[in-house]
Amino acid sequence: MTGLELLGLAMLLVMLGAIFIGLPISFTLLFLALMFGYAGMGERVFNLAYLQTIGLMKQDELVAVPMFVLMGFICDQAGLMERLFKAFRDLFAPLKGALYVVVILTATLFGIAAGTVGATVALLGIMAGPMMIRSGYDVRMSAGAIAAGGTLGILIPPSVMLVVMAPVLDISIIDLYAAAFGPGFLLSAMFIAYTLIRCHFNPKLGPPVPVEERQASMRIVLWECLVGLVPVTVLTIVTLGAILAGITTAAEAAAFGALGAILLVVAYGKFTWRGLLDACYATLATTSMVLLLAVASNVFGAVFAWLGTATWMTKALLASPLPPWGTMSLLLTLIFLLGWPFEWPAIVFIFLPMLAPVAKGLGYDMVWFGCIVAVVLQTAFLSPPVAMSAYYLKQVVKEWNLRLIYRGMADFMVIQCACVALVLIFPAIAMWFPQWLQARRVAARTAQIEYVAPPSSATATLDGPRMAIRNF
C-alpha cells in the first residue's frame, strides 16, 4: 500500500468519524476532500473539484429530481391518498385484516404517484392509526404495516432515489426503473400475504371493519374506487409510460408528471396559490439538500479515486477467497449495516461509488446490482437508530410508543431480507422487464434500418419497405 493510498484511507476513516459525531455531511465531505486532496496532489485538487462539479451539472438525469419531488408534494395536497384509502377500505371491509391490506395497497399506489416516504407514512398514520385502534387491531403489526408500506415509495418508480442512483452507477434510468418494478410489487405482495396469513390464523390481530363503518351501497364503493384509481393510472402513464417507452427523457416526463399533479389538485378543488408556494419551498429545500450532497460526494469520490485507495479496495475485495455470490452478499450486508446510521442519499453518493466497481469486477449486471441495492437501502427507513419511518409515525399516532413501532418494523424487515434473497437467487425477478424493453428497442431499430435501407437488388420493390413496416 503506497503513501497516497494510505492518505485516502485516512480520509475515509476521518469522514466516517466526523459523520458519526454529527457534523454536516456535505460540508464535511468538501472540506476533507480539499484538505486531503491538497496534501496529496497540491493545487490540482481545486481544478479537479471544479471539473467534477461542472461534469455533474451536465447530467440530464438530475434535472428530473426537482420535478419528481414537486410532483410528490403536489400529490399530497390533492387528497389522492385519502381517496385511495377510503375506496380500498370500503372495498375490503369484510376481509380479515382488511386495514392492513388497505394500508399497503394505498402506500403502493400512492408511492407510484408521489414517491415520498415521510408524507406517506404520516398520512397513513393519520388516516389508519385511529381506525386501527378503534377496530382493535394489533399495535405491533399495525405500526409495522404503516411504516413498511410507506417506504415502498423509494423503491417503486418514479423514485428520486433511483433517479440519482442511475448516473452514479452509469446506467440507464429507463432500465433501472424497469428493474425496480419486479422487486417493488413483489415486496408489496409479500407484505399483504404476511398480514392476511397471520390474520387468517389469528383473527384478533385484524378483525374486519365494523359493519356500522362500512359503505352500504356497492355502487358508491365502485365509484370511489374508480375516482381513486384513475388519477393514479393517468399520472403513471404520463410519467413512467413515457420514460419506459423512450418517448421522453426522465426530466421531461417528470415535468409532465408535476403538471399532471397540479391538474389533479385543480380537479379536486383543492388548489391554492399558498399551497403551490409551500410545495415549491419544500421542493427547493429537498432538492438543494440532495444536489449539494451530490456535488460534495462527487468531489470526495474523485479525490479518493485519484489517491488510489478506491482501486486498492476493489482489488482487495476481488482477491478475497470468497466465491462471487459470497462477495456480493458481503457487499449487500455492508450496505444494510450502513443503512442503520445513514440515510439513502449518503449511501448512494458516498459509498456506492466505492462498492460498484467490485460488483462490476465480479461480472454482475449493474442494472441488477442497482436494483438489489435499492431494495436493501429501503431498510434505511426501517432500521434503528435512524429509522425515520418510526419517528414520522410516532409524531402522528401518539398512542403508540417507539418500542412497539420498532418491534413491528422488525417483523417486516425480515420480509425485506427474504425479498433481497429472492432477487439474489432469482435475478430474473428484476431483469425480465428491462431485458424485454431492450429487446423491443433492438427490434424497433432493426425495423427502422430495414425500412430506410431496403434491399438494393434489381428486383427489389416496395414489398421490402412494406414488410419492414409490418414488422415495426
Side-chain angles (χ1 to χ4, degrees), residues 93 105 125 135 201 217 252 296 336 361 381:
L105 281 180
S135 301
F201 289 104
S217 174
E252 294 166 344
F336 174 80
F381 286 90

Side-chain angles (χ1 to χ4, degrees), residues 159-198:
S159 164
V160 175
M161 183 178 73
L162 298 180
V163 172
V164 300
M165 188 185 292
V168 169
L169 295 177
D170 194 24
I171 57 178
S172 166
I173 183 62
I174 298 176
D175 293 337
L176 187 56
Y177 267 5
F181 273 108
F185 288 120
L186 172 63
L187 195 55
S188 176
M190 291 174 70
F191 288 162
I192 293 174
Y194 167 73
T195 57
L196 288 179
I197 291 173
R198 288 203 60 186

Side-chain angles (χ1 to χ4, degrees), residues 357-379:
V358 180
K360 192 171 185 178
L362 292 171
Y364 285 98
D365 187 284
M366 295 310 292
V367 174
W368 175 86
F369 177 69
C371 180
I372 197 169
V373 166
V375 180
V376 175
L377 282 178
Q378 190 179 349
T379 61

Side-chain angles (χ1 to χ4, degrees), residues 48-59:
L48 179 63
Y50 169 78
L51 292 174
Q52 289 297 122
T53 305
I54 293 298
L56 188 69
M57 293 171 62
K58 293 180 179 179
Q59 292 184 356

Side-chain angles (χ1 to χ4, degrees), residues 86-282:
K86 186 176 183 301
F88 285 140
R89 183 198 64 187
D90 295 336
L91 186 63
F92 295 103
L95 189 67
K96 296 176 184 177
L99 294 182
Y100 298 135
V101 178
V102 171
V103 163
I104 296 169
L105 281 180
T106 303
T108 302
L109 293 178
F110 188 74
I112 296 175
T116 58
V117 173
T120 302
V121 173
L123 287 174
L124 284 174
I126 292 172
M127 293 182 298
M131 191 177 302
M132 287 175 160
I133 294 173
R134 289 197 310 270
S135 301
Y137 272 56
D138 181 70
V139 173
R140 177 173 169 177
M141 188 180 292
S142 299
I146 295 174
T151 63
L152 291 170
I154 68 167
L155 178 61
I156 300 177
S159 164
V160 175
M161 183 178 73
L162 298 180
V163 172
V164 300
M165 188 185 292
V168 169
L169 295 177
D170 194 24
I171 57 178
S172 166
I173 183 62
I174 298 176
D175 293 337
L176 187 56
Y177 267 5
F181 273 108
F185 288 120
L186 172 63
L187 195 55
S188 176
M190 291 174 70
F191 288 162
I192 293 174
Y194 167 73
T195 57
L196 288 179
I197 291 173
R198 288 203 60 186
C199 291
H200 175 75
F201 289 104
N202 186 3
K204 293 182 179 179
L205 294 175
V209 175
V211 177
E212 59 272 14
E213 295 185 15
R214 301 180 192 177
Q215 178 59 251
S217 174
M218 182 55 65
R219 179 179 296 179
I220 297 177
V221 172
L222 294 177
W223 170 252
E224 286 296 326
C225 289
L226 180 66
V227 173
L229 289 174
V230 168
V232 176
T233 305
V234 172
L235 205 58
T236 302
I237 293 174
V238 170
T239 53
L240 298 180
I243 296 174
L244 296 176
I247 300 173
T248 65
T249 64
E252 294 166 344
F256 278 115
L259 176 61
I262 293 175
L263 294 178
L264 280 180
V265 177
V266 175
Y268 289 154
K270 295 189 176 183
F271 177 82
T272 62
W273 289 109
R274 181 64 187 177
L276 179 61
L277 190 61
D278 290 341
C280 291
Y281 282 147

